[in-house]
Amino acid sequence: MKLKKKFLVRDILGEIVLVPVGSSDESFNGMITMNEFGKFIWDNIEKNQDEILSLILDEYEVEKSVAEKDLEEFLGCLKKANIIE
């Protein structure tokens, strides 16, 4: 996957959030809150979707169909926010 904007991951009062930096903060108004699963995906975001799925299945005890659905949903949110392509 390719990032379109630059973000930093921050822990703010126990919440994991993506905070836009540089020119990204001008074109993206807000922050994205995510859970540990979302952070795991974000930490591997520059890999392709199949590689991320494989990492998820290695890291978490989850059925493949559930992992695929959750991965698609998270990536869909990032695409909708124009953060990845």
Side-chain angles (χ1 to χ4, degrees):
M1 249 141 294
K2 184 176 177 189
L3 291 171
K4 293 175 136 185
K5 297 178 170 75
K6 185 170 177 146
F7 286 81
L8 295 176
V9 176
R10 294 286 184 241
D11 184 324
I12 300 175
L13 300 172
E15 298 237 9
I16 303 168
V17 295
L18 291 177
V19 180
V21 294
S23 61
S24 295
D25 68 348
E26 296 170 5
S27 61
F28 183 84
N29 188 14
M31 292 186 285
I32 295 178
T33 303
M34 55 187 171
N35 59 19
E36 287 293 328
F37 184 73
K39 184 180 180 311
F40 183 84
I41 295 170
W42 181 260
D43 289 344
N44 294 286
I45 200 70
E46 295 199 1
K47 295 175 172 54
N48 71 44
Q49 193 165 339
D50 289 334
E51 290 174 312
I52 296 172
L53 178 61
S54 180
L55 290 170
I56 290 168
L57 294 173
D58 289 343
E59 182 71 18
Y60 296 94
E61 291 184 26
V62 62
E63 291 183 28
K64 184 176 181 182
S65 61
V66 173
E68 288 172 324
K69 180 180 175 275
D70 290 347
L71 177 59
E72 282 289 330
E73 184 177 323
F74 185 75
L75 295 177
C77 288
L78 295 179
K79 288 176 185 173
K80 184 177 179 182
N82 204 29
I83 294 172
I84 62 170
E85 54 181 53

PDB file of all heavy atoms in Angstrom, residues 38-55:
ATOM      1  N   GLY A  38      -5.889  -2.214  14.747  1.00  0.00           N
ATOM      2  CA  GLY A  38      -5.670  -1.167  13.754  1.00  0.00           C
ATOM      3  C   GLY A  38      -4.233  -0.692  13.763  1.00  0.00           C
ATOM      4  O   GLY A  38      -3.628  -0.450  12.711  1.00  0.00           O
ATOM      5  N   LYS A  39      -3.645  -0.562  14.948  1.00  0.00           N
ATOM      6  CA  LYS A  39      -2.247  -0.143  15.054  1.00  0.00           C
ATOM      7  C   LYS A  39      -1.336  -1.190  14.426  1.00  0.00           C
ATOM      8  O   LYS A  39      -0.363  -0.858  13.749  1.00  0.00           O
ATOM      9  CB  LYS A  39      -1.848   0.105  16.504  1.00  0.00           C
ATOM     10  CG  LYS A  39      -0.419   0.634  16.618  1.00  0.00           C
ATOM     11  CD  LYS A  39      -0.022   0.884  18.043  1.00  0.00           C
ATOM     12  CE  LYS A  39       1.403   1.404  18.174  1.00  0.00           C
ATOM     13  NZ  LYS A  39       2.428   0.678  17.466  1.00  0.00           N
ATOM     14  N   PHE A  40      -1.651  -2.457  14.638  1.00  0.00           N
ATOM     15  CA  PHE A  40      -0.851  -3.530  14.028  1.00  0.00           C
ATOM     16  C   PHE A  40      -0.880  -3.403  12.511  1.00  0.00           C
ATOM     17  O   PHE A  40       0.151  -3.504  11.850  1.00  0.00           O
ATOM     18  CB  PHE A  40      -1.385  -4.904  14.469  1.00  0.00           C
ATOM     19  CG  PHE A  40      -0.581  -6.051  13.935  1.00  0.00           C
ATOM     20  CD1 PHE A  40       0.560  -6.471  14.597  1.00  0.00           C
ATOM     21  CD2 PHE A  40      -0.960  -6.707  12.769  1.00  0.00           C
ATOM     22  CE1 PHE A  40       1.321  -7.527  14.100  1.00  0.00           C
ATOM     23  CE2 PHE A  40      -0.212  -7.756  12.265  1.00  0.00           C
ATOM     24  CZ  PHE A  40       0.929  -8.173  12.936  1.00  0.00           C
ATOM     25  N   ILE A  41      -2.062  -3.169  11.966  1.00  0.00           N
ATOM     26  CA  ILE A  41      -2.180  -2.982  10.517  1.00  0.00           C
ATOM     27  C   ILE A  41      -1.387  -1.751  10.093  1.00  0.00           C
ATOM     28  O   ILE A  41      -0.628  -1.788   9.123  1.00  0.00           O
ATOM     29  CB  ILE A  41      -3.653  -2.864  10.082  1.00  0.00           C
ATOM     30  CG1 ILE A  41      -4.393  -4.186  10.349  1.00  0.00           C
ATOM     31  CG2 ILE A  41      -3.755  -2.473   8.604  1.00  0.00           C
ATOM     32  CD1 ILE A  41      -5.894  -4.101  10.185  1.00  0.00           C
ATOM     33  N   TRP A  42      -1.558  -0.631  10.813  1.00  0.00           N
ATOM     34  CA  TRP A  42      -0.863   0.608  10.471  1.00  0.00           C
ATOM     35  C   TRP A  42       0.659   0.403  10.485  1.00  0.00           C
ATOM     36  O   TRP A  42       1.370   0.896   9.614  1.00  0.00           O
ATOM     37  CB  TRP A  42      -1.247   1.722  11.434  1.00  0.00           C
ATOM     38  CG  TRP A  42      -0.565   3.001  11.080  1.00  0.00           C
ATOM     39  CD1 TRP A  42       0.553   3.531  11.664  1.00  0.00           C
ATOM     40  CD2 TRP A  42      -0.923   3.901  10.031  1.00  0.00           C
ATOM     41  NE1 TRP A  42       0.897   4.698  11.053  1.00  0.00           N
ATOM     42  CE2 TRP A  42       0.012   4.950  10.043  1.00  0.00           C
ATOM     43  CE3 TRP A  42      -1.953   3.916   9.092  1.00  0.00           C
ATOM     44  CZ2 TRP A  42      -0.054   6.013   9.141  1.00  0.00           C
ATOM     45  CZ3 TRP A  42      -2.018   4.975   8.200  1.00  0.00           C
ATOM     46  CH2 TRP A  42      -1.066   6.001   8.233  1.00  0.00           C
ATOM     47  N   ASP A  43       1.154  -0.341  11.468  1.00  0.00           N
ATOM     48  CA  ASP A  43       2.595  -0.590  11.565  1.00  0.00           C
ATOM     49  C   ASP A  43       3.120  -1.363  10.365  1.00  0.00           C
ATOM     50  O   ASP A  43       4.331  -1.364  10.107  1.00  0.00           O
ATOM     51  CB  ASP A  43       2.925  -1.345  12.858  1.00  0.00           C
ATOM     52  CG  ASP A  43       2.757  -0.485  14.102  1.00  0.00           C
ATOM     53  OD1 ASP A  43       2.686   0.756  13.982  1.00  0.00           O
ATOM     54  OD2 ASP A  43       2.688  -1.069  15.205  1.00  0.00           O
ATOM     55  N   ASN A  44       2.239  -2.027   9.644  1.00  0.00           N
ATOM     56  CA  ASN A  44       2.625  -2.820   8.474  1.00  0.00           C
ATOM     57  C   ASN A  44       2.004  -2.293   7.184  1.00  0.00           C
ATOM     58  O   ASN A  44       1.973  -2.997   6.177  1.00  0.00           O
ATOM     59  CB  ASN A  44       2.202  -4.281   8.696  1.00  0.00           C
ATOM     60  CG  ASN A  44       2.968  -4.912   9.823  1.00  0.00           C
ATOM     61  OD1 ASN A  44       4.132  -5.234   9.681  1.00  0.00           O
ATOM     62  ND2 ASN A  44       2.337  -5.058  10.974  1.00  0.00           N
ATOM     63  N   ILE A  45       1.540  -1.063   7.185  1.00  0.00           N
ATOM     64  CA  ILE A  45       0.725  -0.508   6.110  1.00  0.00           C
ATOM     65  C   ILE A  45       1.431  -0.460   4.759  1.00  0.00           C
ATOM     66  O   ILE A  45       0.783  -0.485   3.720  1.00  0.00           O
ATOM     67  CB  ILE A  45       0.163   0.887   6.496  1.00  0.00           C
ATOM     68  CG1 ILE A  45      -1.034   1.251   5.633  1.00  0.00           C
ATOM     69  CG2 ILE A  45       1.243   1.955   6.421  1.00  0.00           C
ATOM     70  CD1 ILE A  45      -2.250   0.451   5.901  1.00  0.00           C
ATOM     71  N   GLU A  46       2.748  -0.431   4.735  1.00  0.00           N
ATOM     72  CA  GLU A  46       3.439  -0.325   3.458  1.00  0.00           C
ATOM     73  C   GLU A  46       3.649  -1.681   2.792  1.00  0.00           C
ATOM     74  O   GLU A  46       4.163  -1.749   1.684  1.00  0.00           O
ATOM     75  CB  GLU A  46       4.727   0.462   3.622  1.00  0.00           C
ATOM     76  CG  GLU A  46       4.394   1.900   4.024  1.00  0.00           C
ATOM     77  CD  GLU A  46       5.505   2.893   3.784  1.00  0.00           C
ATOM     78  OE1 GLU A  46       6.568   2.506   3.288  1.00  0.00           O
ATOM     79  OE2 GLU A  46       5.279   4.069   4.088  1.00  0.00           O
ATOM     80  N   LYS A  47       3.220  -2.747   3.447  1.00  0.00           N
ATOM     81  CA  LYS A  47       3.237  -4.076   2.831  1.00  0.00           C
ATOM     82  C   LYS A  47       1.964  -4.232   2.007  1.00  0.00           C
ATOM     83  O   LYS A  47       1.020  -3.471   2.156  1.00  0.00           O
ATOM     84  CB  LYS A  47       3.309  -5.145   3.919  1.00  0.00           C
ATOM     85  CG  LYS A  47       4.605  -5.119   4.712  1.00  0.00           C
ATOM     86  CD  LYS A  47       4.562  -6.112   5.832  1.00  0.00           C
ATOM     87  CE  LYS A  47       5.858  -6.284   6.554  1.00  0.00           C
ATOM     88  NZ  LYS A  47       6.504  -5.133   7.085  1.00  0.00           N
ATOM     89  N   ASN A  48       1.922  -5.247   1.154  1.00  0.00           N
ATOM     90  CA  ASN A  48       0.677  -5.446   0.402  1.00  0.00           C
ATOM     91  C   ASN A  48      -0.356  -6.151   1.270  1.00  0.00           C
ATOM     92  O   ASN A  48      -0.044  -6.678   2.332  1.00  0.00           O
ATOM     93  CB  ASN A  48       0.931  -6.167  -0.934  1.00  0.00           C
ATOM     94  CG  ASN A  48       1.300  -7.623  -0.766  1.00  0.00           C
ATOM     95  OD1 ASN A  48       0.691  -8.351   0.015  1.00  0.00           O
ATOM     96  ND2 ASN A  48       2.298  -8.070  -1.510  1.00  0.00           N
ATOM     97  N   GLN A  49      -1.580  -6.138   0.822  1.00  0.00           N
ATOM     98  CA  GLN A  49      -2.700  -6.632   1.628  1.00  0.00           C
ATOM     99  C   GLN A  49      -2.541  -8.101   1.998  1.00  0.00           C
ATOM    100  O   GLN A  49      -2.851  -8.497   3.128  1.00  0.00           O
ATOM    101  CB  GLN A  49      -4.006  -6.399   0.875  1.00  0.00           C
ATOM    102  CG  GLN A  49      -5.220  -6.589   1.735  1.00  0.00           C
ATOM    103  CD  GLN A  49      -6.474  -6.027   1.106  1.00  0.00           C
ATOM    104  OE1 GLN A  49      -6.403  -5.176   0.231  1.00  0.00           O
ATOM    105  NE2 GLN A  49      -7.610  -6.494   1.547  1.00  0.00           N
ATOM    106  N   ASP A  50      -2.039  -8.931   1.089  1.00  0.00           N
ATOM    107  CA  ASP A  50      -1.849 -10.348   1.393  1.00  0.00           C
ATOM    108  C   ASP A  50      -0.790 -10.549   2.474  1.00  0.00           C
ATOM    109  O   ASP A  50      -0.930 -11.412   3.347  1.00  0.00           O
ATOM    110  CB  ASP A  50      -1.462 -11.126   0.133  1.00  0.00           C
ATOM    111  CG  ASP A  50      -2.613 -11.257  -0.844  1.00  0.00           C
ATOM    112  OD1 ASP A  50      -3.790 -11.205  -0.412  1.00  0.00           O
ATOM    113  OD2 ASP A  50      -2.347 -11.413  -2.056  1.00  0.00           O
ATOM    114  N   GLU A  51       0.279  -9.753   2.421  1.00  0.00           N
ATOM    115  CA  GLU A  51       1.318  -9.843   3.447  1.00  0.00           C
ATOM    116  C   GLU A  51       0.769  -9.427   4.812  1.00  0.00           C
ATOM    117  O   GLU A  51       1.070 -10.081   5.823  1.00  0.00           O
ATOM    118  CB  GLU A  51       2.505  -8.945   3.091  1.00  0.00           C
ATOM    119  CG  GLU A  51       3.313  -9.439   1.914  1.00  0.00           C
ATOM    120  CD  GLU A  51       4.387  -8.450   1.502  1.00  0.00           C
ATOM    121  OE1 GLU A  51       4.072  -7.242   1.359  1.00  0.00           O
ATOM    122  OE2 GLU A  51       5.534  -8.889   1.324  1.00  0.00           O
ATOM    123  N   ILE A  52      -0.012  -8.368   4.835  1.00  0.00           N
ATOM    124  CA  ILE A  52      -0.602  -7.920   6.103  1.00  0.00           C
ATOM    125  C   ILE A  52      -1.518  -8.994   6.664  1.00  0.00           C
ATOM    126  O   ILE A  52      -1.476  -9.302   7.859  1.00  0.00           O
ATOM    127  CB  ILE A  52      -1.362  -6.591   5.923  1.00  0.00           C
ATOM    128  CG1 ILE A  52      -0.402  -5.465   5.520  1.00  0.00           C
ATOM    129  CG2 ILE A  52      -2.082  -6.213   7.227  1.00  0.00           C
ATOM    130  CD1 ILE A  52      -1.096  -4.171   5.133  1.00  0.00           C
ATOM    131  N   LEU A  53      -2.338  -9.597   5.808  1.00  0.00           N
ATOM    132  CA  LEU A  53      -3.234 -10.667   6.255  1.00  0.00           C
ATOM    133  C   LEU A  53      -2.437 -11.822   6.852  1.00  0.00           C
ATOM    134  O   LEU A  53      -2.780 -12.347   7.914  1.00  0.00           O
ATOM    135  CB  LEU A  53      -4.110 -11.152   5.100  1.00  0.00           C
ATOM    136  CG  LEU A  53      -5.056 -12.292   5.436  1.00  0.00           C
ATOM    137  CD1 LEU A  53      -6.042 -11.884   6.533  1.00  0.00           C
ATOM    138  CD2 LEU A  53      -5.801 -12.750   4.193  1.00  0.00           C
ATOM    139  N   SER A  54      -1.359 -12.206   6.200  1.00  0.00           N
ATOM    140  CA  SER A  54      -0.519 -13.286   6.707  1.00  0.00           C
ATOM    141  C   SER A  54       0.072 -12.936   8.072  1.00  0.00           C
ATOM    142  O   SER A  54       0.092 -13.771   8.986  1.00  0.00           O
ATOM    143  CB  SER A  54       0.608 -13.570   5.705  1.00  0.00           C
ATOM    144  OG  SER A  54       1.430 -14.598   6.170  1.00  0.00           O
ATOM    145  N   LEU A  55       0.508 -11.694   8.245  1.00  0.00           N
ATOM    146  CA  LEU A  55       1.039 -11.252   9.532  1.00  0.00           C
ATOM    147  C   LEU A  55      -0.033 -11.278  10.618  1.00  0.00           C
ATOM    148  O   LEU A  55       0.236 -11.656  11.759  1.00  0.00           O
ATOM    149  CB  LEU A  55       1.626  -9.844   9.403  1.00  0.00           C
ATOM    150  CG  LEU A  55       2.905  -9.725   8.587  1.00  0.00           C
ATOM    151  CD1 LEU A  55       3.240  -8.260   8.337  1.00  0.00           C
ATOM    152  CD2 LEU A  55       4.061 -10.437   9.277  1.00  0.00           C
TER     153      LEU A  55
END
